[in-house]
Amino acid sequence: MEPPAGTARQRADRLQLNLTVEGGAVGQGGTAVTVHNLSVTGALIETAADLLLGQDFTIVLPEAGEVVASVVWQSERLFGCRFRQPLPRAVLSAARLRNPLPSDVDPADGGEAVAADAAEPLGMRLRRLREARGMSLAGLAKAAGLSKPSVWAWEKGTTVPRRKSLHALATALRVSEQEIVGDAAMVGLRASAQAASRRAAAEDMDMLKAEIATARQRIARAAGVDAASIRILIEL
């Protein structure tokens, strides 16, 4: 959400997230809440809970625990809220660690969040492609199997789609993923996929080593010899 008038630093500290936490009406809770935007003064959230304008509700945030906020605007399942008390900046840091911003993600570390080219933000690009095909917001969401509030948030630039959602959007629009995110972002996505493949290969190798070690111990016990004398050969 757009926070009340404040300093430039407050605006700079507003985070775009896709962080799922627990929340709900005061005294109830237990409802899943997705935080799309977070600042020290307020947040943009998405939830299936029935919240009313002016209603107080609680949200559980990293390093802050249960925080009380009030609804200041609403659009379907999206709610803009203002915290009763400003958050410590440590809470924003903790939220960033739990769910990094696209600009914070190092593609070599396998981050999946994507950002569009600076010349045309992802939201503007997505809306242009949708309107060029005569699709409504609801129509695109239905065709892609996604929620309308999520597509709305992506077009508004309050959050960005993950790789799975990006693929669904591209399929529904009949374009490539690159046409949605731009050339620069695709470089990061490819690096992300390569890094994920390397991690998977390393994990498979660790599992294989563990299986071999276990087999060596079993063979040694059955043969009555030391495990160090057992050699296992794998032919591929």
Side-chain angles (χ1 to χ4, degrees), residues 134-195:
M135 300 179 74
S136 66
L137 201 66
L140 175 57
K142 182 177 180 180
L146 301 165
S147 71
K148 181 181 175 182
S150 292
V151 178
W152 179 90
W154 296 332
E155 288 196 358
K156 291 296 183 181
T158 57
T159 185
V160 292
R162 296 283 178 172
R163 188 65 186 271
K164 183 178 180 180
S165 298
L166 175 62
H167 178 72
L169 289 170
T171 301
L173 291 168
R174 297 183 181 180
V175 298
S176 66
E177 294 176 11
Q178 185 166 341
E179 287 184 71
I180 298 177
V181 302
D183 296 337
M186 284 306 299
V187 173
L189 288 173
R190 293 190 185 102
S192 173
Q194 292 170 357

Side-chain angles (χ1 to χ4, degrees), residues 9 14 27 30 45 47 54 65 104 117 124 130 136 159 163 195-196 200 202 207 210 225 232:
R9 180 173 180 178
R14 191 168 60 247
I45 65 170
T47 180
D104 292 336
D117 289 347
M124 293 177 61
R130 173 177 63 78
S136 66
T159 185
R163 188 65 186 271
M207 291 181 62
V225 299
I232 296 178

Side-chain angles (χ1 to χ4, degrees), residues 35-100:
V35 181
H36 291 301
N37 191 299
L38 180 67
S39 73
V40 296
T41 57
L44 171 66
I45 65 170
E46 180 179 349
T47 180
D50 294 325
L51 301 177
L52 304 174
L53 288 177
Q55 180 179 355
D56 285 346
F57 69 97
T58 60
I59 182 172
V60 180
L61 294 173
E63 298 297 324
E66 198 171 78
V67 176
V68 179
S70 60
V71 178
V72 294
W73 67 264
Q74 183 259 337
S75 176
E76 296 187 353
R77 293 199 305 169
L78 291 171
F79 298 88
C81 62
R82 181 176 294 112
F83 298 126
R84 183 177 293 176
Q85 298 292 333
L87 297 177
R89 296 192 181 277
V91 176
L92 271 64
S93 298
R96 180 184 284 115
L97 291 174
R98 284 272 300 275
N99 195 155

